[in-house]
Amino acid sequence: MHRILLAALLATAATVGAGIAPAHAGLFDKNPDQVAQDAATKNLHAVTLWVDATWGFRNQGAANALSRAHQAFATRGYDVVSVEPYIENGDLQGFFVTYQKPRG
């Protein structure tokens, strides 16, 4: 568990250290399409957000939320960089998801 948290924190620190402010959003609080649009409007190179798996059904609910987020970001030219699960006391809580626009 500590390894996953450390990886997520280091990924976030790396984007902030590079002058890229990550956007954070709980996908059950915000529409993934709006989060992706905001990131594209702000011309963010990388975006890290939280997808909650504790609301509703953990299996299908989280999978659906991830699919919606992936589609919203792909439409705007972002690629999935990582999907890191966060587990607390043996229970899946959610995912830190990082998207990035290819440089070029």
Side-chain angles (χ1 to χ4, degrees):
M1 179 174 78
H2 294 289
R3 190 176 68 180
I4 293 170
L5 282 174
L6 180 60
L9 290 173
L10 288 175
T12 302
T15 59
V16 171
I20 302 164
H24 300 279
L27 291 186
F28 289 106
D29 295 348
K30 294 184 180 179
N31 181 324
D33 226 24
Q34 185 61 52
V35 176
Q37 183 59 48
D38 289 348
T41 299
K42 294 175 184 174
N43 201 28
L44 297 177
H45 174 66
V47 180
T48 299
L49 56 93
W50 172 254
V51 176
D52 193 0
T54 60
W55 186 86
F57 298 103
R58 291 181 189 209
N59 298 358
Q60 202 57 36
N64 288 340
L66 286 168
S67 293
R68 286 191 306 271
H70 292 345
Q71 181 60 46
F73 279 89
T75 299
R76 289 161 180 86
Y78 286 86
D79 295 326
V80 177
V81 175
S82 70
V83 178
E84 297 292 330
Y86 173 68
I87 298 169
E88 187 176 301
N89 297 325
D91 293 325
L92 176 65
Q93 300 296 309
F95 302 90
F96 290 101
V97 185
T98 301
Y99 299 94
Q100 186 174 22
K101 273 198 175 181
R103 294 194 187 245

